[in-house]
Amino acid sequence: MIMKFPNDFLWGAASAAYQVEGAYNEDGKGLSIWDEFSQIKGKTKHNTNGKVAVDFYHHYQEDIKLMAEMGLKAYRFSISWSRILPNGEGEINQAGLDFYERVIDELLKNDIEPIVTLYHWDLPEKLQTKYGGWENRKLVDLFVEYCRILFEKFGAKIKYWVTFNEQNVFTSLGYRWASHPPNVSDTKRMFQANHVVNLANAKVIQLFHKLVPNEKIGPSFGYGEVYPLTSSPADVLAAVNANQFNNDWWLDVYCRGYYPEKILRLLKKLHLDFEITAEDLKVLKAGKPDFLGINYYHGGTVKAPDFEKVKNQKDFDKTDPYLMAADKQAASPESYLFESVENPYLDKTNWGWEIDPIGFRIALRQVYEKYQLPIMITENGLGAFDKLEDGKINDQYRIDYLNDHLVQVGKAIADGVPVLGFCAWSFTDLLSWLNGYDKRYGFVYIDRDDYSAENLTRIKKQSFYWYQKIIESNGGKL
Ligand code: BGP
């Protein structure tokens, strides 16, 4: 089947500052909460951190040259707030602005569209210690001020801006599961912080529309469709609940300006509710995005909750927080809504993430039909152990994974979903937040491991040449 992609489809790849840049304290950069958190023993695999990462800070010209050789049309990267404002507020670090300007200009010179993420999890440490981070409403204005600097500086050069990367992930892992900074394990505080981020998202979108009226902005959401385990109506209801809890809880706020009522009521019952003022509701309504960024890795499967377990919640297991585990705390909202189970039809990656290309088509259809916004796929890819043999990396498994997922994107486009582009995660190998340097995603191998960053040689994998052909044929070779 020949896939038809729009002529201006953005064939891209993505990264995030902390995961690639390194130079964590160079040229005036302030520390971020990730620089601090990764120092806590046992939090990341082999205590890996982003001090050097893959040193994009010093290798950006070489990496962009490889992007140009591949024919990449777009590169999504994030700006590190504490490189621009070392204290998160106050004095601007000119060297930080200059670095991103050089990156942007280099991309444009090579006809690669820069897609800029404003926040990919690396909050300036000073804002955490001084104000308590995202739990404090003060952060809304501070985020807006940081973004104002970037809109004024780069507004004329950047067409696509991403506000927050995976708000669902960083609030849950940071404030509920204590597996990301700020290392908190308190569901109520998570909902409070999440609301503040929603306000920041909406306010920054409003400002953007004023300052950069001709370009586009939207959040990137980590979306996964949730399936019922069986056709039993109780399981189907559990899946409806899970989709509301895992997806609509964020997307309804972004696109419609209000929270799903059912979930709000449940939170109230469990004393997990948070303050929403009349002014907040106005702010949320006024910050509608121009597109939705979707990061897609996997969805989930659920069955009806077992209310016996609800009564005795300490029986619940806490497994990988990425895999939507239930909560050990007394008031776990999930336990009233659904119970997560394995999907018997799906294979898994080496890290236990389900592989579900058709779920991608379903996700794109659902999101578009519900919110009627164009979609930018801001992440999708396979984390795997790659082997360097005779100077080569044969990552056929990654080619298969991406090919299968892109075929489903093509089908979703044929179904009528306006998809602006596809950013594979990732261009070069990079640091996985919790899993170190062996969980590789790139088209370009980087010669380093969890212990040594001496080499950093860039080596094109087989998937590099495959993606080059896909781009050249505008998806015709899928
Ligand atoms: C997403 C993040 C990315 C990236 C990716 C892969 O949630 O937005 O930054 O890390 O997941 O995750 P991991 O590194 O855990 O494999």
Side-chain angles (χ1 to χ4, degrees):
M1 173 180 175
I2 302 265
M3 292 280 144
K4 282 248 182 309
F5 286 81
N7 287 336
D8 56 356
F9 192 75
L10 292 171
W11 297 96
S15 71
Y18 179 73
Q19 297 177 277
V20 293
E21 281 179 8
Y24 80 108
N25 62 356
E26 274 181 52
D27 296 339
K29 179 182 171 293
L31 295 182
S32 80
I33 53 174
W34 269 94
D35 291 319
E36 291 289 342
F37 178 76
S38 57
Q39 297 307 303
I40 307 171
K41 279 231 152 42
K43 283 291 176 186
T44 62
K45 188 165 172 225
H46 300 141
N47 300 310
T48 39
N49 60 54
K51 284 185 176 172
V52 178
V54 297
D55 201 22
F56 179 77
Y57 193 78
H58 297 109
H59 288 252
Y60 74 92
Q61 283 169 312
E62 184 183 349
D63 290 350
I64 294 174
K65 203 163 162 223
L66 285 165
M67 293 176 202
E69 180 187 335
M70 183 191 242
L72 212 65
K73 306 266 189 234
Y75 180 56
R76 172 184 176 230
F77 63 95
S78 79
I79 290 185
S80 176
W81 187 341
S82 64
R83 216 181 264 295
I84 305 297
L85 296 162
N87 297 318
E89 59 183 336
E91 210 172 312
I92 296 179
N93 177 35
Q94 189 57 40
L97 273 182
D98 291 348
F99 167 66
Y100 292 111
E101 180 152 51
R102 288 197 300 275
V103 170
I104 290 166
D105 288 347
E106 193 71 18
L107 289 167
L108 291 172
K109 202 171 84 192
N110 286 286
D111 292 323
I112 301 168
E113 195 69 62
I115 300 174
V116 169
T117 307
L118 293 159
Y119 186 83
H120 203 127
W121 304 355
D122 48 352
L123 185 76
E125 168 65 12
K126 283 274 161 53
L127 300 184
Q128 191 64 47
T129 43
K130 189 166 171 196
Y131 300 112
W134 288 113
E135 288 171 86
N136 189 335
R137 284 171 177 260
K138 170 99 181 145
L139 267 276
V140 175
D141 292 336
L142 293 177
F143 182 65
V144 169
E145 282 317 303
Y146 151 67
C147 295
R148 182 195 299 276
I149 298 167
L150 300 177
F151 296 157
E152 284 172 353
K153 175 85 186 153
F154 301 126
K157 292 184 177 181
I158 310 286
K159 291 202 175 98
Y160 295 101
W161 297 78
V162 171
T163 53
F164 285 95
N165 181 71
E166 293 188 356
Q167 182 181 335
N168 51 333
V169 172
F170 83 79
T171 53
S172 309
L173 270 58
Y175 290 87
R176 188 174 180 192
W177 302 112
S179 49
H180 276 198
N183 202 13
V184 170
S185 170
D186 184 323
T187 310
K188 190 170 174 79
R189 287 173 64 185
M190 177 200 96
F191 284 111
Q192 171 63 32
N194 183 64
H195 183 61
V196 175
V197 178
N198 277 330
L199 296 172
N201 180 70
K203 273 213 166 164
V204 109
I205 290 177
Q206 263 180 282
L207 176 75
F208 180 83
H209 286 151
K210 234 197 287 162
L211 295 183
V212 197
N214 297 325
E215 310 303 359
K216 311 266 177 259
I217 193 163
S220 271
F221 183 71
Y223 189 92
E225 187 69 21
V226 186
Y227 305 133
L229 181 63
T230 73
S231 57
S232 137
D235 286 350
V236 174
L237 177 63
V240 170
N241 287 338
N243 278 305
Q244 273 209 320
F245 187 78
N246 292 343
N247 296 319
D248 307 354
W249 178 253
W250 284 275
L251 292 179
D252 280 7
V253 178
Y254 294 150
C255 304
R256 296 171 171 170
Y258 53 82
Y259 290 97
E261 193 57 38
K262 154 87 188 162
I263 308 298
L264 271 184
R265 287 182 188 199
L266 177 64
L267 295 188
K268 202 162 185 163
K269 202 168 102 189
L270 300 175
H271 307 292
L272 294 172
D273 50 332
F274 48 92
E275 185 196 33
I276 310 176
T277 66
E279 178 58 26
D280 290 353
L281 290 174
K282 272 197 226 150
V283 170
L284 296 179
K285 275 252 182 241
K288 198 174 165 187
D290 305 307
F291 67 89
L292 270 177
I294 293 295
N295 293 356
Y296 178 79
Y297 291 92
H298 59 80
T301 304
V302 297
K303 62 179 187 179
D306 173 348
F307 287 105
E308 280 310 302
K309 272 195 189 165
V310 176
K311 280 194 249 151
N312 187 13
Q313 290 215 5
K314 59 183 181 319
D315 290 346
F316 275 50
D317 277 331
K318 188 180 170 202
T319 54
D320 181 350
Y322 273 113
L323 299 178
M324 298 180 204
D327 192 346
K328 266 192 174 166
Q329 295 168 39
S332 157
E334 286 94 332
S335 56
Y336 293 82
L337 300 168
F338 59 88
E339 188 179 328
S340 292
V341 292
E342 290 202 358
N343 188 312
Y345 299 98
L346 299 174
D347 288 337
K348 290 184 180 153
T349 71
N350 297 149
W351 275 266
W353 292 17
E354 285 172 348
I355 302 174
D356 181 14
I358 294 179
F360 203 0
R361 181 181 182 182
I362 298 172
L364 294 169
R365 290 255 298 267
Q366 294 281 56
V367 171
Y368 178 64
E369 293 304 338
K370 220 160 168 190
Y371 303 109
Q372 302 281 305
L373 286 171
I375 294 175
M376 175 79 80
I377 295 157
T378 36
E379 283 180 36
N380 172 243
L382 175 70
F385 295 106
D386 291 338
K387 259 209 234 120
L388 180 61
E389 276 170 334
D390 302 329
K392 291 199 177 109
I393 300 100
N394 182 354
D395 56 343
Q396 187 59 42
Y397 37 88
R398 182 168 293 108
I399 295 174
D400 293 343
Y401 179 100
L402 286 170
N403 200 93
D404 290 350
H405 283 76
L406 273 165
V407 164
Q408 296 301 324
V409 174
K411 289 185 177 181
I413 292 173
D415 293 334
V417 181
V419 182
L420 302 166
F422 175 90
C423 295
W425 186 264
S426 52
F427 183 70
T428 62
D429 289 340
L430 40 70
L431 169 65
S432 169
W433 300 94
L434 302 178
N435 295 293
Y437 291 93
D438 282 339
K439 190 178 187 187
R440 295 174 183 271
Y441 281 91
F443 295 117
V444 175
Y445 184 89
I446 304 244
D447 191 7
R448 72 151 296 167
D449 59 20
D450 288 353
Y451 306 101
S452 154
E454 264 165 39
N455 238 328
L456 298 173
T457 312
R458 274 70 176 145
I459 304 165
K460 290 172 257 177
K461 302 182 193 176
Q462 195 176 317
S463 57
F464 180 99
Y465 301 103
W466 166 81
Y467 201 42
Q468 189 176 45
K469 280 205 199 100
I470 300 303
I471 298 174
E472 204 188 357
S473 63
N474 199 32
K477 294 247 162 78
L478 281 170

